[in-house]
Amino acid sequence: MIEFVRAPDERFDNLPGYPFAPRYLVQKNGLRMHYLDEGLRDPAAPVFLCLHGQPSWSYLYRKMIPLFAPHGRVIAPDLFGFGRSDKPVQDDVYTFEFHRSSLIELIDTLDLTNITLVCQDWGGLLGMTIPYQMPRRFARLIVMNTAFPTGEKSLGAGFENWKAFVRSQPDLNVSALFRRGTPVLSEAEADAYGAPFPDIRYKAGVRRFPELMPVAPDSPGADHGRAGRDWYRDHWAGQTFMAIGAADPVLVPEIMHALRADIRNCPEPMVLKEAGHFVQEWGEPVAKAALKAFGLS
């Protein structure tokens, strides 16, 4: 039995720009995963699977969901340890496979097909390792600042600095981080990012993510990272839209251009000069441009 905490529901009341009804899925491990389920129920329509990273949650997609919803079903889960999903209190519960397998279980249980994978940060590090195992479910990719977790090379000084910073902040102030790093946010929006984390007991997942990055070819998850990269490079036949937050100090534009080279037939990216790491905060123009590129608008 995994020991966990669950953020009180009232912490999610009246968050700005986030009117979406919660949905829950109890997984085989006994933990309850929260997800949003918006938009069309037409089985022929696309499914936009929106995956967040660290230390964000599905609130990150609030500006993109209303644009995707008229064109398909929008599924935006909270990874375990984040958002309204259950949060195991022991750091060592959080592994690459723990997160990856929970996303696969969500996809299988909801029987998602015709998926447009919308991903950034750990949403991409995990999400882009999944399609090679279930290629018939995936049709499109909207990819923002992220990478393949191959364990073959470092992501550079920016990531190493971020890793050291999180290690030094076991009780990381998530709202303050967003307030400092994403100045386009209002005070209320920055506070909303901190809603899932009342105190240090709720932050094991936040602490652990940087440590899960594969640092060598035999690191946990690196085999999936290489398999995902090879599949996208050699076999991907779907449509791709890439958006780059050029002001990201961690996953810098050079990393994104290297990622583009590993995605078969990836068009010229959309570069947002003022956007930082959390590109979804500039999500309206990104979503509009992606829908147009896919012929869905």
Side-chain angles (χ1 to χ4, degrees):
M1 189 72 166
I2 300 174
E3 182 184 357
F4 65 88
V5 289
R6 185 176 290 172
D9 287 343
E10 56 267 24
R11 291 186 65 86
F12 301 93
D13 290 344
N14 303 314
L15 300 184
Y18 192 79
F20 313 111
R23 309 264 184 155
Y24 296 100
L25 172 68
V26 178
Q27 296 206 338
K28 295 174 184 176
N29 58 18
L31 298 175
R32 190 180 76 170
M33 174 175 276
H34 167 258
Y35 65 100
L36 303 179
D37 191 346
E38 299 288 325
L40 303 179
R41 290 297 190 277
D42 183 348
V47 172
F48 297 88
L49 178 60
C50 301
L51 302 183
H52 71 84
Q54 183 246 11
S56 60
W57 55 288
S58 56
Y59 187 75
L60 185 69
Y61 282 99
R62 71 195 181 283
K63 295 179 181 179
M64 302 179 83
I65 290 171
L67 293 169
F68 292 147
H71 303 282
R73 185 181 182 186
V74 187
I75 303 292
D78 292 334
L79 296 169
F80 287 124
F82 298 84
R84 299 182 82 143
S85 290
D86 288 344
K87 300 173 179 63
V89 298
Q90 299 296 327
D91 290 25
D92 59 6
V93 169
Y94 297 93
T95 66
F96 193 101
E97 192 60 39
F98 170 77
H99 284 299
R100 183 176 183 273
S101 63
S102 72
L103 289 173
I104 290 174
E105 185 171 341
L106 175 78
I107 292 167
D108 281 337
T109 303
L110 298 182
D111 194 22
L112 304 181
T113 58
N114 194 11
I115 295 172
T116 299
L117 176 62
V118 188
C119 59
Q120 172 263 347
D121 191 75
W122 274 97
L125 289 160
L126 293 164
M128 292 194 301
T129 73
I130 294 173
Y132 84 89
Q133 286 190 316
M134 44 179 65
R136 294 183 181 179
R137 292 187 182 270
F138 289 83
R140 299 171 198 85
L141 172 66
I142 300 175
V143 60
M144 296 161 280
N145 295 32
T146 190
F148 286 114
T150 64
E152 294 175 338
K153 57 184 178 181
S154 169
L155 290 180
F159 175 74
E160 294 303 324
N161 291 338
W162 168 245
K163 189 174 180 179
F165 173 74
V166 174
R167 194 179 291 154
S168 73
Q169 303 287 322
D171 191 14
L172 180 67
N173 187 327
V174 174
S175 295
L177 174 74
F178 274 90
R179 193 173 293 113
R180 182 173 65 250
T182 313
V184 296
L185 295 174
S186 68
E187 287 290 313
E189 288 173 320
D191 288 342
Y193 276 111
F197 312 109
D199 59 52
I200 194 171
R201 295 176 301 155
Y202 295 78
K203 298 178 183 178
V206 173
R207 291 191 296 270
R208 280 290 291 161
F209 250 142
E211 306 296 332
L212 301 184
M213 177 64 73
V215 295
D218 60 350
S219 296
D223 55 343
H224 290 305
R226 292 191 298 275
R229 176 202 60 196
D230 294 349
W231 183 80
Y232 270 105
R233 183 183 60 203
D234 300 332
H235 302 291
W236 173 238
Q239 295 174 288
T240 302
F241 184 89
M242 176 178 283
I244 300 175
D248 187 346
V250 178
L251 295 171
V252 297
E254 289 79 8
I255 291 174
M256 289 298 290
H257 288 296
L259 175 65
R260 181 190 174 208
D262 282 328
I263 299 175
R264 190 166 177 249
N265 296 326
C266 182
E268 191 74 25
M270 177 182 188
V271 178
L272 296 96
K273 293 183 179 180
E274 296 182 358
H277 181 66
F278 300 101
V279 187
Q280 294 92 326
E281 288 298 340
W282 290 261
E284 288 188 41
V286 173
K288 289 178 180 178
L291 290 168
K292 183 177 180 181
F294 293 158
L296 298 175
S297 61

